[in-house]
Amino acid sequence: MVEGLVTTNKVQELQKKLYLKAKSEPKLRFYALYDKTYREDVLIQAWQKVRSKGGAPGVDGQSIEDVEKAGVEGFLEKIQEELRTEKYQPQPARRVEIPKTGGGTRTLGIPTVRDRVVQQALKLIIEPIFEADFEDSSYGYRPKRSTQQAAEEVCKYLNYGLTQVIDADIEDCFGTIPHKELLEMIARRIVDGKVMRLIKLLLEAGVMKDGVVENDDTGTPQGGVISPLFANIYLDRIDKGWKPLTKFARIIRYADDLIIMTKYDIDKRLEKLQKLTGELKLSLSKKKTRIVNAEKESFDFLGYSFKKALNKTGTKKAAYYWPSEKSIKKIKAKVKAITNPAKPVEVKQVVEELTPVLRGWVNNFRTGNSSKKFGIVKRYAASRVRKFMSRRRDKAGYNYKEYTDEFLYSELGLYNDYKIRWMKTLR
C-alpha cells in the first residue's frame, strides 16, 4: 500500500451492490455512475492496482516511479479534478511491437500511467454490472476465473466425448472491434451520458508510433487496462449465441481465444461460429483456425496441449493435458536470458531472478499431466545455472560433479517445487 493512502472495503461493497442489482434485474439500465469513477477510494484502489502490475511509461514518458517521486496524492487529486470537471482528455497509447516466440511480433498499445489509473477506476465501477451478464463459458480476464479452470472444462468435455474440436482464432480481435457497435452494447446497460462520453474518449484516443497518432473507428488497444473488459462485453454475444446448442456443443472462451467442442456435425458448428463472428463484423483467421479430432491428435489452447488417449492400463481413454511446446520454448527463452554468462552479476542474483519466473510458470501448469514437461524445464534451468558458473571460472561443460543437485537446490536455493496438483476431473 502506498504510504499516506488508505483504502477501505467500501469499493468492494459498491461493486457487490452493483453486481447484485444487475443480476436481479437483467434489463435494468444504470444512470448515476460517473461520480463514482472519481471517488477518492476508487481512485486510490485504481492506483494501487496499476502500481502492482507495473508496466512501462506511455507517450508522456512518466513512469510509476516518477509518479511516486512527485507525489501520488497530488497525482490522484489532479485526475479527480479533471474527471469531476469533465476536462479529462486521454493521451494516445504508445505502440510497441513485442517479439513472438514463434517469430513475428504482437502489437501492444501502452497508455500513460495517468490513463491506466482512469481506465482502472472506470473498470472498478462498470465491470460488476457486466459480470452479472457474462456466461460461464467465458474465462479470460474475469474475477475469480483462470486458465486452469478453463483447462479443467476442456478435459471434462473431452471425457464426455466431445472430441471434435474447432481451434479458433479471431483475426486481430482487439484491433477490429467496431466502436459504434461496442458502444451500443455498453449502452444496453449503462445510460449515464458522462460515463458513455468517457468510454468514447478512451476508445478514440488512438495510438502513437514514431510521433504520429493513428485513430479510426475500430479497435481497443491490446495493453490497455480496460481493453479486455471491452472485448468480453463485445464477444459475449458469441457466448450467448452458442447457448441454444449447449446440449450438442460447448464453447470455451478466454478473451479472443476460443474453442468449440462437439461430438458430431463439426462443419455445421464451424458455420455457426463463422456466422456469429460475421454478425459482429469480425472474422476467423483462415490460417490459424482448424478442426481437430482430439482422439487422433493433440491441440493447443491457453498454453496447454490436450488429447484424449488410452490410460496407462490400456483399458479406456481419458483426457490428458500438459504445457505446450510453445509454452516450454517461452520459459526456456526467459531462463536463457536470465542465465546469460555475459551478464555482470553473481550467481545468487541469477537464482533470485529465476525464482519468480519459474514459480509463476510452474504454478500456471501445476494441474494436469505436467510431470514430464516440468522435468524438462527443471533440468534446463539447472544446466543453465551450471553453465553460468562454469563460464565464470573459464571452464567448459556443465561440471555436474562440482555443481551437484544438492549444491544447486540446497546451497544456492534454485527453485525446486515442481509438484503436481491433480484436478477433480482426472481423479
Side-chain angles (χ1 to χ4, degrees), residues 154 158 165 167 259 290 292 294 297-301 304-306:
V154 174
L158 285 176
V165 179
D167 180 7
I259 59 172
R290 66 189 190 114
V292 178
E297 60 179 316
S298 64
F299 65 93
D300 293 350
F301 182 56
Y304 301 89
S305 290
F306 297 86

Side-chain angles (χ1 to χ4, degrees), residues 262-394:
T262 186
K263 286 185 178 181
Y264 44 78
D265 292 339
I266 192 71
D267 292 331
K268 289 184 179 179
R269 310 304 181 207
L270 180 57
E271 289 176 10
K272 173 69 174 178
L273 181 59
Q274 290 170 330
K275 181 181 178 182
L276 289 170
T277 53
E279 289 171 352
L280 291 174
K281 298 185 179 181
L282 302 174
S283 60
L284 298 180
S285 169
K286 293 181 180 179
K287 184 179 179 181
K288 296 181 180 179
T289 299
R290 66 189 190 114
I291 294 175
V292 178
N293 183 338
E295 291 188 298
K296 294 181 179 180
E297 60 179 316
S298 64
F299 65 93
D300 293 350
F301 182 56
L302 302 179
Y304 301 89
S305 290
F306 297 86
K307 190 176 183 180
K308 191 171 185 181
L310 286 172
N311 59 16
K312 291 182 178 180
T313 60
T315 54
K316 65 176 182 178
K317 286 189 174 182
Y320 297 93
Y321 76 116
W322 57 90
S324 67
E325 289 303 312
K326 186 176 180 181
S327 297
I328 293 173
K329 284 182 180 179
K330 282 184 177 181
I331 187 63
K332 280 186 173 181
K334 290 180 180 180
V335 170
K336 185 176 182 180
I338 294 172
T339 57
N340 183 351
K343 291 176 66 175
V345 296
E346 297 294 327
V347 67
K348 287 188 177 181
Q349 184 175 331
V350 168
V351 170
E352 287 176 2
E353 286 185 48
L354 278 175
T355 298
V357 173
L358 290 171
R359 182 194 294 124
W361 188 84
V362 170
N363 285 342
N364 189 58
F365 295 104
R366 205 179 278 279
T367 58
N369 312 88
S370 303
S371 295
K372 289 183 179 179
K373 303 301 181 182
F374 278 5
I376 291 172
V377 172
K378 179 180 180 179
R379 289 190 293 274
Y380 182 78
S383 67
R384 289 295 306 180
V385 171
R386 287 187 174 102
K387 188 173 185 179
F388 180 90
M389 291 186 290
S390 295
R391 289 286 180 88
R392 283 307 177 83
R393 298 176 64 180
D394 294 324

Side-chain angles (χ1 to χ4, degrees), residues 111-157:
T112 63
V113 176
R114 164 180 165 270
D115 292 336
R116 297 206 294 268
V117 171
V118 172
Q119 289 185 27
Q120 184 64 64
L122 176 62
K123 183 184 176 186
L124 288 171
I125 302 305
I126 70 171
E127 184 177 52
I129 296 169
F130 291 99
E131 268 295 315
D133 297 334
F134 290 157
E135 300 298 324
D136 290 340
S137 56
S138 168
Y139 290 87
Y141 304 102
R142 294 182 59 191
K144 299 179 181 179
R145 288 184 162 248
S146 66
T147 55
Q148 291 92 337
Q149 291 172 329
E152 290 183 17
E153 286 294 286
V154 174
C155 282
K156 181 176 76 174
Y157 293 128

Side-chain angles (χ1 to χ4, degrees), residues 152-334:
E152 290 183 17
E153 286 294 286
V154 174
C155 282
K156 181 176 76 174
Y157 293 128
L158 285 176
N159 284 329
Y160 286 173
L162 278 62
T163 55
Q164 299 295 309
V165 179
I166 301 171
D167 180 7
D169 182 272
I170 299 176
E171 192 78 54
D172 188 21
C173 178
F174 281 85
T176 56
I177 291 176
H179 295 170
K180 180 176 178 291
E181 283 77 2
L182 173 60
L183 288 168
E184 288 174 353
M185 289 184 185
I186 295 172
R188 291 177 182 175
R189 271 301 202 175
I190 296 174
V191 289
D192 184 323
K194 294 181 180 180
V195 170
M196 294 303 295
R197 175 182 172 275
L198 177 58
I199 292 172
K200 191 174 181 182
L201 284 173
L202 294 173
L203 288 172
E204 294 177 348
V207 294
M208 180 182 287
K209 184 179 181 182
D210 300 326
V212 178
V213 178
E214 299 176 1
N215 195 341
D216 55 32
D217 57 359
T218 62
T220 172
Q222 194 168 2
V225 173
I226 204 166
S227 294
L229 175 60
F230 286 160
N232 275 334
I233 292 170
Y234 198 68
L235 297 177
D236 184 59
R237 185 179 291 182
I238 293 179
D239 303 334
K240 285 180 168 50
W242 210 265
K243 281 188 75 173
L245 297 174
T246 51
K247 287 185 178 180
F248 311 103
R250 298 281 180 168
I251 184 172
I252 299 174
R253 184 175 65 80
Y254 194 98
D256 59 334
D257 198 358
L258 64 92
I259 59 172
I260 305 295
M261 306 179 68
T262 186
K263 286 185 178 181
Y264 44 78
D265 292 339
I266 192 71
D267 292 331
K268 289 184 179 179
R269 310 304 181 207
L270 180 57
E271 289 176 10
K272 173 69 174 178
L273 181 59
Q274 290 170 330
K275 181 181 178 182
L276 289 170
T277 53
E279 289 171 352
L280 291 174
K281 298 185 179 181
L282 302 174
S283 60
L284 298 180
S285 169
K286 293 181 180 179
K287 184 179 179 181
K288 296 181 180 179
T289 299
R290 66 189 190 114
I291 294 175
V292 178
N293 183 338
E295 291 188 298
K296 294 181 179 180
E297 60 179 316
S298 64
F299 65 93
D300 293 350
F301 182 56
L302 302 179
Y304 301 89
S305 290
F306 297 86
K307 190 176 183 180
K308 191 171 185 181
L310 286 172
N311 59 16
K312 291 182 178 180
T313 60
T315 54
K316 65 176 182 178
K317 286 189 174 182
Y320 297 93
Y321 76 116
W322 57 90
S324 67
E325 289 303 312
K326 186 176 180 181
S327 297
I328 293 173
K329 284 182 180 179
K330 282 184 177 181
I331 187 63
K332 280 186 173 181
K334 290 180 180 180

